[in-house]
Amino acid sequence: MHAFVTGLLLAAAAPALPAPAAPAAQPPVTAPLCAIAAPCARPLPVRMVVVTMFEIGKDEGDTAGEFQLWKTRRNLHQRIPFPHGFHDLYYNPDTQILGVVTGVGSVRSAAAITALGLDTRLDLSRAYWLVAGIAGIDPEDASIGSAAWARYVVDGDLAHEIDAREIPKDWKSGYFPLDRKGPDDPAPPRTDGGEVFALNPDLTEWAYRLTRDVALPDDPGIARERARYTDHPNARKPPFVLIGDQFSAMTFWHGSLLNRWANDHTRYFTGAKGQFVTSAMEETGTLQAIEYLSRIGRVDKDRVLVLRTGSNYTLPPPGVTAADYLLRENEGYAGLNASVESLYRVGDKVVTELLAHWDRYGKTPPK
């Protein structure tokens, strides 16, 4: 759940991170790029695609959004012009990591990932995909700065809606799935409408096991923020790594009633197997594009990981209205810096492991 950040009055500073362990050396790619949208005899090999959604200002040297730490710390300095997408691509020919910024929202992410997957200059057939973004986080499950690996991504846009001021008195929400006659209709969900995407469970579990003990940034600023959530024990914990599913909707929503809707919607479309933890805006577009591209062998949908870190809570603390808290968050997310740092610390451990053992993981995803 994020928009472009226009002010950072409440952002917490993150401590410096030691340089990551170097992956096994790979021969650099020196061949010139092929022309855009033309046949390409020697596409660049890609082992890892890091998918981010926004950057606040510049790609380097100012307040970091989702992309900046990856670009600077992973030396993604080979620019690949990408006029058919939101933002130029950046590549490291030694490690074969490709960095992407899709733009905010599922429409932009679907368009960018489709354009990327069909780009003849790139060989993505064996690439792993790490979607790495900040998010709203449910205080029932975790605290800001925490990092959640998703097993499911559920769409929150394909639905019926009646304004809350006009819903029947016995309805708990005016927002309900297209295939139901109301929020309490017990009919089973559709399975072909793009409302839910299941990720490779073995890969997700492997990533969680690998990273569950990663030390995440903490500081007095986010500690004060989480201490306000006196009714939510998990929201008061220092940042931690967990498995938790993502709710993807283009609307930046907030509040306890919509938080309940997101939980209900997630349980419904996952057959009670999923647990809503993070709220974002892009993954259903990204995953739909990857699913289609996988059908023609351009990518492998079983090599996709979704990691989101909490930059803000999805409902206010006791004694604060949803409107007041949402408007305050628009001035700058309370956990922005911590969540961006957590993204890199947790995600980079997975990237380092995959690249260091490419002889094994290039052939078969880990379990």
Side-chain angles (χ1 to χ4, degrees):
M1 174 192 289
H2 59 255
F4 289 106
V5 180
T6 58
L8 303 175
L9 300 178
L10 301 173
L17 176 69
Q26 306 296 335
V29 177
T30 57
L33 283 173
C34 295
I36 297 172
C40 187
R42 296 187 63 186
L44 293 178
V46 179
R47 295 185 175 184
M48 172 63 62
V49 182
V50 177
V51 180
T52 63
M53 282 52 70
F54 80 99
E55 190 50 62
I56 295 170
K58 299 178 181 179
D59 288 343
E60 296 185 62
D62 58 3
T63 300
E66 294 170 345
F67 179 59
Q68 187 171 142
L69 299 188
W70 293 99
K71 186 177 188 296
T72 56
R73 296 178 183 176
R74 273 298 182 170
N75 298 314
L76 306 181
H77 295 311
Q78 181 176 344
R79 176 175 164 270
I80 301 175
F82 195 52
H84 44 307
F86 175 77
H87 185 284
D88 284 341
L89 310 173
Y90 285 87
Y91 179 71
N92 183 323
D94 297 318
T95 59
Q96 299 177 11
I97 300 174
L98 181 72
V100 182
V101 183
T102 66
V104 171
S106 59
V107 173
R108 279 179 167 169
S109 65
I113 298 303
T114 299
L116 177 66
L118 296 175
D119 197 311
T120 56
R121 301 171 296 171
L122 304 166
D123 180 1
L124 300 163
S125 59
R126 293 201 298 165
Y128 286 86
W129 298 71
L130 174 63
V131 180
I134 66 172
I137 200 158
D138 187 348
E140 287 287 342
D141 301 296
S143 54
I144 51 176
S146 294
W149 293 104
R151 299 164 301 170
Y152 297 95
V153 171
V154 175
D155 183 89
D157 290 322
L158 295 167
H160 292 297
E161 182 179 16
I162 298 173
D163 189 291
R165 292 165 294 187
E166 297 180 305
I167 63 174
K169 292 182 179 180
D170 59 341
W171 284 19
K172 59 183 178 181
S173 173
Y175 209 94
F176 55 96
L178 287 174
D179 57 322
R180 293 168 73 177
K181 296 180 180 179
D184 296 317
D185 185 348
R190 297 190 307 173
T191 59
D192 61 349
E195 285 94 344
V196 62
F197 296 87
L199 297 163
N200 180 341
D202 293 333
L203 184 61
T204 299
E205 179 64 32
W206 171 83
Y208 168 68
R209 292 197 308 269
L210 182 69
T211 60
R212 60 188 170 188
D213 296 324
V214 170
L216 302 184
D218 195 7
D219 61 67
I222 61 173
R224 285 193 298 271
E225 188 66 22
R226 64 176 181 258
R228 302 171 68 193
Y229 284 78
T230 53
D231 296 337
H232 298 86
N234 287 327
R236 295 167 62 87
K237 294 179 180 178
F240 60 96
V241 181
L242 69 157
I243 290 180
D245 302 312
Q246 193 219 106
F247 192 70
S248 180
M250 289 275 277
T251 301
F252 190 134
W253 57 268
H254 187 75
S256 58
L257 296 179
L258 288 173
N259 198 72
R260 183 177 66 185
W261 156 71
N263 275 282
D264 290 347
H265 219 64
T266 300
R267 281 192 294 270
Y268 174 70
F269 277 107
T270 63
K273 297 177 182 178
Q275 174 66 39
F276 162 66
V277 172
T278 62
S279 173
M281 295 177 170
E282 293 83 18
E283 264 71 322
T284 48
T286 296
L287 295 178
Q288 184 67 81
I290 287 175
E291 181 176 301
Y292 288 156
L293 290 164
S294 187
R295 295 179 187 179
I296 59 173
R298 293 291 300 176
V299 306
D300 183 352
K301 68 177 182 178
D302 288 329
R303 297 186 177 216
V304 180
L305 289 161
V306 171
L307 176 67
R308 287 280 181 167
T309 56
S311 60
N312 54 285
Y313 291 111
T314 55
L315 56 86
V320 181
T321 68
D324 287 343
Y325 199 76
L326 175 62
L327 293 175
R328 195 199 76 165
E329 286 297 295
N330 282 340
E331 297 175 353
Y333 300 143
L336 174 67
N337 286 357
S339 62
V340 168
E341 183 68 39
S342 292
L343 264 184
Y344 184 81
R345 292 192 188 190
V346 176
D348 187 64
K349 185 157 188 177
V350 167
V351 171
T352 298
E353 174 68 16
L354 289 171
L355 298 186
H357 302 286
W358 190 254
D359 57 335
R360 184 194 325 161
Y361 298 137
K363 298 173 184 176
T364 306
K367 296 183 179 181

